[in-house]
Amino acid sequence: KQEVTQIPAALSVPEGENLVLNCSFTDSAIYNLQWFRQDPGKGLTSLLLIQSSQREQTSGRLNASLDKSSGRSTLYIAASQPGDSATYLCAVSDSWGKFQFGAGTQVVVTP
Amino acid sequence: EPEVTQTPSHQVTQMGQEVILRCVPISNHLYFYWYRQILGQKVEFLVSFYNNEISEKSEIFDDQFSVERPDGSNFTLKIRSTKLEDSAMYFCASSEIAQGNTGELFFGEGSRLTVL
């Protein structure tokens, strides 16, 4: 059974610092890995999707890497801003699109 | 930008009542999903739906739950007789395709269900 773990559970950084969020999964037979952002009481906003054949994806200040063989992904957010405060979720999918989620990392960026 | 829309945003119901949550997936998407998130817990998969039938369901999705695509745009989740433990945020999601494509998942804003 696939298990997704995110470390740390919570993170507080001053504005301008880079953020490093970690995700690990137990079964390397994944199809996609997707990072989401969730604001309190809101839905999930897709940030980056990495297909299993890819090693990384970039979008603006965000960069996500994937090492499928070791079951790890890392989300980097450069030059953090207070608006980046949210919970970040990692999820991995099988070939039919069913996603298994981690518990998330709650990020606070202080001005 | 196309988005997944869900109604209602919040529903309060009495235990034992039937509830229907509604979703309009992104128009060119083919796979539809329901997930739920109990307060403070992980997002959990409930069911996936493709080609007018359930393709996969979790152990949570028992006989009290059903899904339907009554027309070309709506996708509904029905809970026949709600229990206290059904209180959660229910998310609808859709993707263009699961195999052979990106399979990127797009979520709606959620429907918060409170069972009293």
Side-chain angles (χ1 to χ4, degrees), chain A residues 1 3-5 31-32 34 36 38 40-49 51 89 93-104, chain B residues 31 33 35 37 41-45 48 50 55-59 89 91 95 98-110 112:
Chain A
K1 184 187 170 187
E3 294 288 340
V4 181
T5 304
Y31 199 73
N32 288 330
Q34 195 166 349
F36 295 88
Q38 185 176 30
K42 300 290 188 180
L44 282 67
T45 301
S46 177
L47 296 174
L48 289 168
L49 172 80
Q51 296 180 38
L89 301 174
S93 73
D94 59 20
S95 60
W96 292 102
K98 171 188 165 185
F99 278 81
Q100 201 81 14
F101 281 80
Chain B
Y31 275 81
Y33 308 85
Y35 285 79
Q37 187 176 33
Q41 297 187 22
K42 288 186 180 184
V43 176
E44 303 173 288
F45 169 79
S48 58
Y50 171 70
S55 50
E56 192 172 358
K57 59 183 181 180
S58 72
E59 58 271 16
M89 182 77 98
F91 292 109
S95 66
Q99 281 188 316
N101 206 321
T102 62
E104 185 174 4
L105 207 59
F106 293 90
F107 279 80
E109 286 292 304
R112 180 169 298 284

Side-chain angles (χ1 to χ4, degrees), chain B:
Chain B
E1 186 175 320
E3 58 181 15
V4 177
T5 58
Q6 290 186 241
T7 55
S9 56
H10 189 192
Q11 179 152 1
V12 180
T13 190
Q14 295 292 324
M15 192 169 53
Q17 294 296 303
E18 177 183 283
V19 160
I20 297 176
L21 306 179
R22 293 182 168 80
C23 169
V24 179
I26 295 173
S27 61
N28 64 332
H29 284 186
L30 300 176
Y31 275 81
F32 314 118
Y33 308 85
W34 285 100
Y35 285 79
R36 80 171 186 189
Q37 187 176 33
I38 295 171
L39 190 64
Q41 297 187 22
K42 288 186 180 184
V43 176
E44 303 173 288
F45 169 79
L46 291 178
V47 65
S48 58
F49 192 87
Y50 171 70
N51 201 25
N52 283 320
E53 61 183 24
I54 290 173
S55 50
E56 192 172 358
K57 59 183 181 180
S58 72
E59 58 271 16
I60 302 168
F61 195 88
D62 61 21
D63 291 345
Q64 293 300 310
F65 291 88
S66 62
V67 289
E68 195 177 34
R69 188 157 163 81
D71 53 43
S73 59
N74 290 287
F75 179 52
T76 62
L77 174 69
K78 182 193 289 188
I79 309 174
R80 286 190 186 81
S81 177
T82 50
K83 302 188 278 277
L84 294 176
E85 54 264 37
D86 294 328
S87 294
M89 182 77 98
Y90 288 81
F91 292 109
C92 175
S94 68
S95 66
E96 196 168 354
I97 195 166
Q99 281 188 316
N101 206 321
T102 62
E104 185 174 4
L105 207 59
F106 293 90
F107 279 80
E109 286 292 304
S111 293
R112 180 169 298 284
L113 176 64
T114 302
V115 182
L116 302 177

Side-chain angles (χ1 to χ4, degrees), chain A residues 24-109:
Chain A
S24 62
F25 44 95
T26 53
D27 185 352
S28 62
I30 65 167
Y31 199 73
N32 288 330
L33 184 144
Q34 195 166 349
W35 282 93
F36 295 88
R37 169 187 171 134
Q38 185 176 30
D39 292 291
K42 300 290 188 180
L44 282 67
T45 301
S46 177
L47 296 174
L48 289 168
L49 172 80
I50 311 177
Q51 296 180 38
S52 61
S53 58
Q54 298 174 322
R55 301 276 303 174
E56 68 174 340
Q57 279 289 338
T58 298
S59 175
R61 293 185 294 113
L62 276 59
N63 173 275
S65 65
L66 173 63
D67 184 343
K68 207 174 113 168
S69 60
S70 67
R72 293 177 193 275
S73 176
T74 303
L75 177 67
Y76 300 90
I77 303 177
S80 61
Q81 303 166 0
D84 295 329
S85 298
T87 297
Y88 291 83
L89 301 174
C90 164
V92 296
S93 73
D94 59 20
S95 60
W96 292 102
K98 171 188 165 185
F99 278 81
Q100 201 81 14
F101 281 80
T105 295
Q106 187 174 12
V107 171
V108 174
V109 181

